[in-house]
Amino acid sequence: MIVTYTHPDGTVEQTSTNDLSAIESADVEEVMGGTAWRVIEDRLRGQDPTAMRAVLWAVRKRDDAALKFAQVDVPGWRRRLTCRIEREEIDEVLDNIVAEALAKSEDAAIDAILPHLRKLAHDKDDIAAALDALGKGHLVTAPEDSED
C-alpha cells in the first residue's frame, strides 16, 4: 500500500508499506498498541489516520532515530493523507475473486469489486493490467468511476 501525505506547501511525501523493513513494521505494530500487521493493513485500506501516520513515522525515523510517534502530526489529514493499494494487492484480490468466480463460471463477483479497486488503486492502469493478466480483460470497459 502507498501512503501519501501532501504537505501544506504542496510537497508530497509518499511511501510504500512494501518498503518497510521487518523492524519498521514491528515498530508500527508497537505504536499501534500491539496491533497485528494484518489488522493494520485493514485499517490502512479503511483510511485510518493513525495507521497512516504510523507508517509515515516509521519512514521518517530513518532520518531521525529519536523521532517519537507523538511528534508526528499530519495537519489537514482528511484532505492531504491517503492510502492506496498497489498492483500486487490488486492481483491478490482479483486472484481470490477469480478462483471463486471460476468455480461458479461467472464474472459478477469481479464486476462487484471493480469500483472499490478503482477507488483504492494508486495507479488506475493497474486494474486493467491485472484483469488482462487473469484473462478477464473484457471486464476493463466498466464505467469510469469518479475521482476521489
Side-chain angles (χ1 to χ4, degrees), residues 5 41 115 130:
Y5 179 61
E41 286 180 325

Side-chain angles (χ1 to χ4, degrees), residues 41-56:
E41 286 180 325
D42 288 341
R43 290 178 65 176
L44 287 168
R45 280 191 276 292
Q47 307 302 300
D48 179 87
T50 303
M52 292 185 284
R53 195 175 126 234
V55 170
L56 289 177

Side-chain angles (χ1 to χ4, degrees), residues 71-90:
Q71 295 172 304
V72 176
D73 194 9
V74 283
W77 72 268
R78 287 187 184 275
R79 294 183 316 279
R80 297 188 176 113
L81 187 62
T82 61
C83 186
R84 297 292 183 250
I85 58 176
E86 296 180 80
R87 171 65 192 269
E88 92 180 23
E89 290 142 341
I90 293 167

Side-chain angles (χ1 to χ4, degrees), residues 129-144:
L131 286 168
D132 282 338
L134 289 171
K136 296 289 183 179
H138 63 281
L139 297 175
V140 172
T141 59
E144 287 296 316

Side-chain angles (χ1 to χ4, degrees), residues 9 16 25 37 47 60 65 68 79 87 94 124 133-134 142:
D9 67 2
S16 170
S25 296
W37 186 256
Q47 307 302 300
R60 289 177 183 178
K68 303 290 182 216
R79 294 183 316 279
R87 171 65 192 269
L94 288 175
K124 307 280 188 233
L134 289 171

Side-chain angles (χ1 to χ4, degrees), residues 62-129:
R62 293 173 183 167
D63 295 326
D64 180 3
L67 183 65
K68 303 290 182 216
F69 181 59
Q71 295 172 304
V72 176
D73 194 9
V74 283
W77 72 268
R78 287 187 184 275
R79 294 183 316 279
R80 297 188 176 113
L81 187 62
T82 61
C83 186
R84 297 292 183 250
I85 58 176
E86 296 180 80
R87 171 65 192 269
E88 92 180 23
E89 290 142 341
I90 293 167
D91 286 340
E92 184 179 321
V93 167
L94 288 175
D95 284 344
N96 291 335
I97 292 172
V98 165
E100 291 176 27
L102 289 177
K104 297 177 185 177
S105 298
E106 61 184 59
D107 290 338
I110 298 168
D111 280 333
I113 195 70
L114 285 176
H116 184 66
L117 288 177
R118 285 187 182 102
K119 182 177 180 181
L120 290 177
H122 176 69
D123 182 345
K124 307 280 188 233
D125 292 336
D126 284 345
I127 303 295

